[in-house]
Structure formats: structure tokens, C-alpha cells
Amino acid sequence: MAEIHHFAHGAFNPVAAFLLSFIGSLLGLVCTARARATRQRARRARWLVLASIAIGGAGIWLMHFMAILGFAVPASPLRFDPYLTMASLALSVVTVGGGLFIVGFGRRRVLRVLGGGLLTGLGVVGMHYTGMLAMRVYGVISYNPRLVFASIGVAVVAATVALWFTVTVGSWSRIAVASLVMALAVCGMHYTGMAAIQVRLHESGIHHVQGVNPMQLLVPIVLITSAALIGMAFSGLKAMTEEEFAAPPPSSAGGRHSETPFTVALRPGGETL
């Protein structure tokens, strides 16, 4: 078996991947808090779409790609199929969105969380191994079955816990703690799956490996991420403005002012789905 490095650039990649996962999870949980605060289905759907982009795109897939940049096989070039790489992004966002919509409408039930967690967890696993399928080396990549099943278990449990957080956390402190737990779980799933990789190089020597150098993918990924974040910001501001105009005027009775949907969603014991 060929020698494999999972931390070719030291601590930079795992630390950066964790921070990306934390920020994506934090944005996603804030969006789900807004979704819980509104009773209009269209607005709730908009917030859940934004949450799926934040969690599935930044919290999971972007973390996966950042961690992959630290992977290396010293005896072989490393290349990626850009189409499969983008397909893994779409798979992550769609499956996370599916899980959020399952728990996002109707009463909060254990079966909804479990079903959504199973769908999302399997989707995250599919995203991970689709991304690994996009990886090219001058040899054959195989996987340790036990570690593959372990990564599936971690992904399903992590996704279920993540969906439970989306329908229970409300205050800023709880959202921050939940985002930390989600980031740790996502990173744990990724590196468990990465530990399953085994590479057997061809014996005829190193030849050309088809695909794109991973560093060449940074520019389009940065552009896609920037466009998505800007789009999320504008959509979120538009939704917040619409909700503020639709909210009843503040009441002066008792010297108290009416609460916005966001303060209701973020206070302890606030409205849940």
C-alpha cells in the first residue's frame, strides 16, 4: 500500500475546516431560528432553503473540500474530476435541505427527526464518497469496510443530532454550543471516512493522472461561495424587512414593546416548530 498523508500542511487544513463547519452551522441554525419564528409557509421555506445552503454548502461540503486539500499521496500526483466535485456539493445541499424540510413543517415529532436524520446522514455520506470518487491518483483507491460503516454511523447520528438542534435550540448561547457540536461531528465523520482510504499504486511507474489540480479548484469554489453568501445575505435582509413590515405595530401598554419574530425564536423557551 502507498504512503498516505492526511495532514500534509500540518494543522492548517483541519483547523480551517473546523472553523468553516462551525460558521456554516452557526448561520444555518440562525436561519432555522428565523424559520421557526414565522407562521407563513413561504417565508419559512425561504429560511429553510438558506439554512440548507449554509449547513450543506459551507458547514459540510466546504469543510470537506478544505480538509481534502490536506490529503496527499507522496508517490503520486493528486487530481480531481470537477464535475463529480460539483455534484457532491449539490448532493450535500439537497439532502440537508430535505432533512430540514421534513422537520421544518408540521408538529415536532421524534419520527420526523429520525427520518430526516437518516436521509440527511446518508446524503452526507453520499456527498463524502462522491467527493472521494472524484479524486484521481496513479493507482487504485480502496476502502476499509469497517471504517466506512463507522463513518456512515457517525454521519447518521451527527445529522440526527443536527436536526434535533434545529428544532430545539433558541438562545444565542445554545446556538453557539450546538454549532460547535455540529462542527465536531462533521469533522469526525470526514476524518473517519478518510482513515478508511487505502491506495495501491500501479507498478509501471508514475504517468499522467487525468483531472484538475485541487489548487486550481480554489478560484471557482471561492467565487461560488462568495456568490452564495452574498445571495444569502440579500435574501435574508429582504425576508427580515418583509417580516418587520408585516409585524403589528409596537404596543405601549405597560411600557412594553412587541417582540420581533427573531427575539421570540432566540429567547429560551421561544416558539419551536
Side-chain angles (χ1 to χ4, degrees):
M1 292 295 175
E3 179 184 2
I4 293 175
H5 293 171
H6 292 288
F7 307 101
H9 306 294
F12 173 78
N13 291 100
V15 171
F18 172 79
L19 291 176
L20 287 170
S21 185
F22 173 77
I23 293 171
S25 300
L26 184 67
L27 290 173
L29 289 179
V30 169
C31 289
T32 59
R34 296 289 310 205
R36 295 202 308 271
T38 181
R39 297 184 179 276
Q40 295 189 15
R41 295 179 65 87
R43 290 177 181 169
R44 178 172 291 190
R46 177 188 297 180
W47 284 116
L48 291 178
V49 168
L50 293 177
S52 66
I53 295 173
I55 296 175
I60 296 176
W61 184 85
L62 199 57
M63 170 270 153
H64 163 86
F65 187 81
M66 177 56 67
I68 283 291
L69 291 179
F71 179 83
V73 181
S76 170
L78 185 66
R79 299 292 183 266
F80 283 88
D81 182 324
Y83 300 106
L84 284 175
T85 301
M86 292 298 104
S88 67
L89 168 60
L91 184 60
S92 178
V93 173
V94 169
T95 54
V96 168
L100 288 175
F101 272 80
I102 287 175
V103 301
F105 289 92
R107 290 190 171 187
R108 184 178 65 195
R109 299 180 185 275
V110 174
L111 288 179
R112 281 180 175 270
V113 176
L114 292 177
L118 179 62
L119 170 65
T120 305
L122 293 178
V124 170
V125 170
M127 176 279 301
H128 175 82
Y129 288 103
T130 300
M132 296 311 300
L133 184 63
M135 191 168 63
R136 304 281 189 262
V137 297
Y138 189 68
V140 178
I141 297 176
S142 59
Y143 297 90
N144 183 318
R146 292 182 180 179
L147 289 175
V148 170
F149 283 115
S151 69
I152 294 173
V154 171
V156 172
V157 171
T160 303
V161 172
L163 291 181
W164 179 78
F165 282 144
T166 65
V167 297
T168 56
V169 297
S171 67
W172 280 106
S173 60
R174 292 181 181 179
I175 286 179
V177 172
S179 301
L180 179 65
V181 173
M182 288 173 63
L184 289 172
V186 170
C187 291
M189 181 280 298
H190 173 84
Y191 282 106
T192 301
M194 293 299 293
I197 294 177
Q198 300 170 338
V199 177
R200 185 181 297 276
L201 298 177
H202 297 313
E203 297 179 356
S204 57
I206 301 299
H207 294 281
H208 176 69
V209 178
Q210 291 186 345
V212 177
N213 188 305
M215 300 306 294
Q216 292 178 313
L217 291 174
L218 279 179
V219 172
I221 286 175
V222 168
L223 291 176
I224 292 173
T225 303
S226 301
L229 290 176
I230 292 172
M232 286 180 60
F234 276 106
S235 183
L237 288 172
K238 180 181 178 182
M240 291 170 65
T241 303
E242 290 175 351
E243 289 169 4
E244 288 174 357
F245 276 111
S251 172
S252 59
R256 297 180 61 185
H257 297 280
S258 64
E259 295 178 295
T260 65
F262 196 39
T263 57
V264 172
L266 290 183
R267 70 183 181 189
E271 181 188 356
T272 57
L273 291 173

